[in-house]
Amino acid sequence: LEAALGRYRRTDALLACPELSFPLPDRLAALYAARADPILARVAPWTSSERAAAALMAELDPLRLVALDWAVSSTKSLAAGVDMLLHGLAVDDAMAAARVEEDYQAADWGEVEGAHDLDKAAMRLSLASAGWIFALARAQPEAFTRAS
């Protein structure tokens, strides 16, 4: 699981956007700046390399590791998942960051009923579940220890 989560680093749009070799349209760049830049600033030490991400995950107990998997796989973003884990990034903020491109397109083209709304609901469920586990672990850290 740790290796699979670490590989999200290579395809994470939030992490890749600052390194693009072409300019984004102004409105899309502004959305990324508003939604992604604060997250990237907070999680840089843990997302700067696969090794750093693996070291973070090696410290997690199985429950938080699974919750991180829910957050990362639903947002397709290691950065958003790590920010939820370490800093309590809110569900709505994680969704907004993960959906920058979809929201940009939907502003012009609209949403597909029965598709976009269901995707959002599924993401919200996964993120809320992960967020609850992360919050519980912050409130009662003694209950969340890495099994030997």
Side-chain angles (χ1 to χ4, degrees):
L1 187 57
E2 289 99 334
L5 286 171
R7 285 193 296 269
Y8 268 99
R9 207 185 140 277
R10 289 180 261 164
T11 59
D12 187 332
L14 299 183
L15 294 172
C17 188
E19 300 172 5
L20 292 175
S21 60
F22 57 88
L24 294 173
D26 290 343
R27 191 166 50 96
L28 182 56
L31 280 175
Y32 268 112
R35 296 180 184 181
D37 287 354
I39 293 170
L40 296 176
R42 288 189 297 267
V43 300
W46 300 278
T47 58
S48 60
S49 69
E50 283 187 39
R51 180 176 289 162
L56 170 66
M57 289 179 250
E59 297 298 316
L60 297 178
D61 59 275
L63 189 56
R64 283 187 296 169
L65 187 60
V66 168
L68 181 62
D69 180 52
W70 295 340
V72 170
S73 61
S74 67
T75 61
K76 316 278 188 293
S77 173
L78 181 63
V82 168
D83 200 16
M84 286 187 73
L85 168 70
L86 297 177
H87 304 289
L89 179 67
V91 169
D92 288 339
D93 294 336
M95 287 182 64
R99 295 186 48 81
V100 168
E101 293 175 66
E102 289 94 344
D103 291 348
Y104 172 76
Q105 294 292 335
D108 288 338
W109 301 102
E111 290 190 350
V112 177
E113 189 175 325
H116 291 113
D117 53 342
L118 296 178
D119 289 344
K120 286 180 187 179
M123 183 184 290
R124 183 175 302 284
L125 177 62
S126 292
L127 291 176
S129 299
W132 182 82
I133 291 169
F134 298 149
L136 185 59
R138 280 190 297 279
Q140 297 181 348
E142 67 281 357
F144 291 81
T145 57
R146 175 85 177 170
S148 301

